[in-house]
Amino acid sequence: MSGAGPRPPRPGPPEWLSRPFFAAVTFACLLLALGICVRWFTVAPPQGRYEPAIQTFALVAAITGVFAERRAAARERRDQALVALADELVKNTEILYGEGFAPLDRHAPRARVYPRLVQSATDAALVSGVFWEAATADLPALLHDWRDAVHDFNRRLDLAELRTYVGLVPDEVLIAIDDALHREDGQLAELRRLRAVLERVLRERYGRQPGVAERLALLPARS
């Protein structure tokens, strides 16, 4: 209808109807049933204790299975994220130390298109939340720093290319842009430093893990 305005959004489920709530309800029910079976086993006559014993073992298996499944699923997601991060680290290392960022020839400078660093695995790892447990709580902070640095660096490359390709640019400007890129305290040096920190953390914590070890072995030794 032409006169009708936008429909108001439908109210979502209450905030308390979340996955932790349903998990708590599930465990509470299982534990309550287990308590009833244990009580049943203690008051049942000797010849009638087989059924409560079977029910008790079945409930213990169910509770153990739920815990084991959740831990196995969390570990599998973490392992997949680690392999993806190691793959991405190899690609970014090749980019950061490749010909794409080699210094310009000062005698014949020319505009060029720079390679871009990738960050999809970093984004996925941060969104998934697989590293927010106590043992790896510092890794998300490092990934956030790395992601922000990569995003800002790629954006600055866009601006540099736009400036050098829009019109005729003197050689002095091209050399100045290249000098700024390769400063000892510049963004390229900072990215290489962060990359080295991320590599060190992955090697120290997960360097022997299958899948991660093979990918980290592709990285050359760097300080």
Side-chain angles (χ1 to χ4, degrees), residues 26-124:
T26 300
F27 285 125
C29 292
L30 288 174
L31 290 174
L32 179 61
L34 178 61
I36 293 174
C37 286
V38 171
R39 175 60 179 169
W40 181 13
F41 181 82
T42 58
V43 299
Q47 65 274 16
R49 290 182 176 178
Y50 290 104
E51 185 175 356
I54 293 173
Q55 295 290 342
T56 300
F57 285 122
L59 288 169
V60 170
I63 295 174
T64 305
V66 171
F67 273 112
E69 190 277 333
R70 289 171 63 88
R71 291 184 61 86
R75 183 177 182 85
E76 183 178 357
R77 291 194 299 270
R78 191 191 66 177
D79 291 347
Q80 292 173 350
L82 284 171
V83 171
L85 285 174
D87 270 332
E88 188 173 88
L89 186 66
V90 172
K91 295 176 184 176
N92 283 328
T93 301
E94 295 173 353
I95 293 172
L96 283 172
Y97 292 94
E99 292 296 326
F101 291 113
L104 285 178
D105 183 356
R106 303 183 74 86
H107 299 289
R110 61 178 181 177
R112 61 180 173 179
V113 176
Y114 296 97
R116 300 301 193 270
L117 299 176
V118 293
Q119 61 183 64
S120 57
T122 302
D123 290 338

Side-chain angles (χ1 to χ4, degrees), residues 94-198:
E94 295 173 353
I95 293 172
L96 283 172
Y97 292 94
E99 292 296 326
F101 291 113
L104 285 178
D105 183 356
R106 303 183 74 86
H107 299 289
R110 61 178 181 177
R112 61 180 173 179
V113 176
Y114 296 97
R116 300 301 193 270
L117 299 176
V118 293
Q119 61 183 64
S120 57
T122 302
D123 290 338
L126 290 172
V127 171
S128 66
V130 293
F131 298 116
W132 285 106
E133 58 188 25
T136 58
D138 58 333
L139 186 54
L142 176 59
L143 292 177
H144 272 294
D145 291 341
W146 168 254
R147 181 197 177 280
D148 292 342
V150 169
H151 178 75
D152 187 56
F153 185 69
N154 287 340
R155 183 178 61 84
R156 289 177 182 269
L157 293 180
D158 292 338
L159 297 176
E161 290 175 357
L162 181 63
R163 183 177 181 183
T164 56
Y165 276 98
V166 165
L168 296 176
V169 178
D171 292 349
E172 293 78 9
V173 174
L174 295 176
I175 293 175
I177 293 175
D178 190 66
D179 288 343
L181 179 65
H182 291 92
R183 286 201 317 256
E184 292 185 0
D185 59 345
Q187 280 193 304
L188 182 59
E190 177 64 14
L191 273 172
R192 288 173 175 172
R193 186 193 67 80
L194 282 175
R195 188 219 64 83
V197 173
L198 182 58

